[in-house]
Amino acid sequence: METVSIHKPKVVVIGSCNTDMVVKANRLPVPGETVLGGTFYMNPGGKGANQAIAASRLGAEVTFISKIGYDLFGLQALEIYKSEKINTEFIFTDQKSPSGVALISVDSFGENSIIVAPGASRSLSIEDINKAEEKIREADIILMQLEVPIETAEYAATIANKYNKKVILNPAPTLSNAFLRNIHTILPNRIEAEMLSGIKVMDIESAHRAAKTIGDKGIENVVITLGKDGAYVKEKDKYAMIPAKQVETIDTTGAGDVFCGAFSVCLSEKHSLTEAVEFANAAAAIAVTRIGAQSAIPYKMEVTL
């Protein structure tokens, strides 16, 4: 796939900044059970941060709109973003709330279980978005998740739509129709697709029905990510299953964020939706062969189709 754009595409990411606290174990515990784990490590994370770094490493000029606490975790994260060549002008500081944290368990198959305490991410406000409106106006793609207040994300989508910008959303279960009408492409995983559609995604046929049901809410483009199975794509009235690259999985933490970041970069370079999914699959396949979230994100030169 040849790169179409000469200049770096501009991607604005609106989302969360967290610190990931990860324990690896042979298996994940069931409710009420204690499992003796092995390796513990602490890494910078957060869906928004992961996606911003992925977009930057994969070739975009990235502005990250987020909120941190005035604490060690937040200040360390800020330095990391600067080192990744991300514009941090609109990462705001909440003096009253701590930076977000995520508690992550990873089993021997690389599957994970995550609990997030959003902290300062939950105070990202409409006023903060207004301060960054000019960057939204200049962007090619606006990429959002919903670890920030939904009213803030919905307002940002409205601003983006005012300037005819493509909004890519990594979703949550309950979204208003007004919000969905401002979305160019929605990127739910298997569980999120079920929550949005009421259809359990088990195979291609159920993925088709779920994608159609979600699309009927007013979204032309739906990409259901299916992990090692790839992604099921609804592009307007066309449907397709796009397989993933087969690799030996070590850790799936952050792989969905790599997919979102890679997809946004490729789409902003004027490639087709299908090409963007193929590129995102390839980037995510590299990420799952490595430990961690941000530490596992590949650079553009590493991604081959």
Side-chain angles (χ1 to χ4, degrees):
M1 180 177 60
E2 296 181 357
T3 300
V4 174
S5 59
I6 297 173
H7 302 290
K8 278 190 171 186
K10 294 181 179 181
V11 174
V12 168
V13 179
I14 302 171
S16 58
C17 159
N18 296 330
T19 296
D20 293 345
M21 299 183 182
V22 185
V23 175
K24 295 204 73 175
N26 287 333
R27 60 184 177 83
L28 301 177
V30 298
E33 180 186 20
T34 298
V35 172
L36 187 63
T39 306
F40 168 80
Y41 51 94
M42 191 164 63
N43 288 322
K47 279 182 172 292
N50 294 345
Q51 293 177 19
I53 290 175
S56 182
R57 289 187 185 180
L58 292 165
E61 179 183 316
V62 176
T63 295
F64 185 27
I65 303 174
S66 188
K67 209 156 205 175
I68 58 174
Y70 187 67
D71 51 30
L72 183 60
F73 287 162
L75 295 174
Q76 286 178 333
L78 199 59
E79 292 307 309
I80 289 169
Y81 307 148
K82 290 177 181 177
S83 73
E84 295 284 352
K85 300 180 174 60
I86 291 169
N87 178 10
T88 61
E89 179 183 0
F90 300 104
I91 297 179
F92 304 99
T93 301
D94 185 337
Q95 299 287 342
K96 297 180 180 179
S97 300
S99 298
V101 297
L103 307 179
I104 304 174
S105 303
V106 181
D107 69 15
S108 59
F109 298 101
E111 296 299 325
N112 60 51
S113 178
I114 304 173
I115 297 178
V116 176
S121 294
R122 298 303 299 172
S123 63
L124 187 69
S125 66
I126 287 172
E127 290 74 19
D128 296 329
I129 299 300
N130 282 333
K131 293 173 185 175
E133 181 172 346
E134 183 61 18
K135 281 295 179 184
I136 293 173
R137 186 189 67 80
E138 295 172 354
D140 298 298
I141 293 284
I142 313 300
L143 173 59
M144 302 191 299
Q145 328 76 37
L146 293 173
E147 289 183 344
V148 299
I150 193 165
E151 60 271 17
T152 302
E154 185 168 355
Y155 180 76
T158 302
I159 295 297
N161 187 59
K162 181 173 75 172
Y163 296 116
N164 295 314
K165 303 299 178 179
K166 292 184 175 70
V167 178
I168 312 301
L169 178 67
N170 190 204
T174 305
L175 300 168
S176 70
N177 289 337
F179 190 1
L180 293 175
R181 282 194 294 271
N182 287 326
I183 303 303
H184 176 272
T185 303
I186 194 166
L187 301 174
N189 62 25
R190 194 188 304 263
I191 301 302
E192 291 160 345
E194 179 183 348
M195 290 177 173
L196 286 166
S197 67
I199 297 167
K200 191 173 184 64
V201 178
M202 303 288 290
D203 50 25
I204 292 178
E205 189 275 332
S206 56
H208 175 88
R209 290 190 291 114
K212 186 177 186 308
T213 300
I214 296 168
D216 287 344
K217 297 176 184 287
I219 305 175
E220 281 190 337
N221 306 307
V222 181
V223 178
I224 301 176
T225 56
L226 301 170
K228 62 183 176 59
D229 295 324
Y232 191 81
V233 178
K234 172 196 177 298
E235 182 177 8
K236 297 182 180 177
D237 296 325
K238 298 178 182 178
Y239 295 83
M241 180 70 195
I242 300 178
K245 286 195 169 187
Q246 297 305 304
V247 296
E248 183 177 348
T249 300
I250 295 176
D251 183 1
T252 60
T253 305
D257 298 329
V258 173
F259 185 100
C260 293
F263 176 87
S264 298
V265 171
C266 195
L267 198 66
S268 68
E269 292 176 334
K270 313 304 180 187
H271 292 291
S272 70
L273 196 80
T274 298
E275 288 173 327
V277 172
E278 290 171 343
F279 181 73
N281 273 344
I286 294 172
V288 300
T289 65
R290 301 169 177 174
I291 292 288
Q294 292 176 14
S295 58
I297 296 170
Y299 291 86
K300 193 163 191 174
M301 66 187 73
E302 299 178 81
V303 183
T304 57
L305 299 179

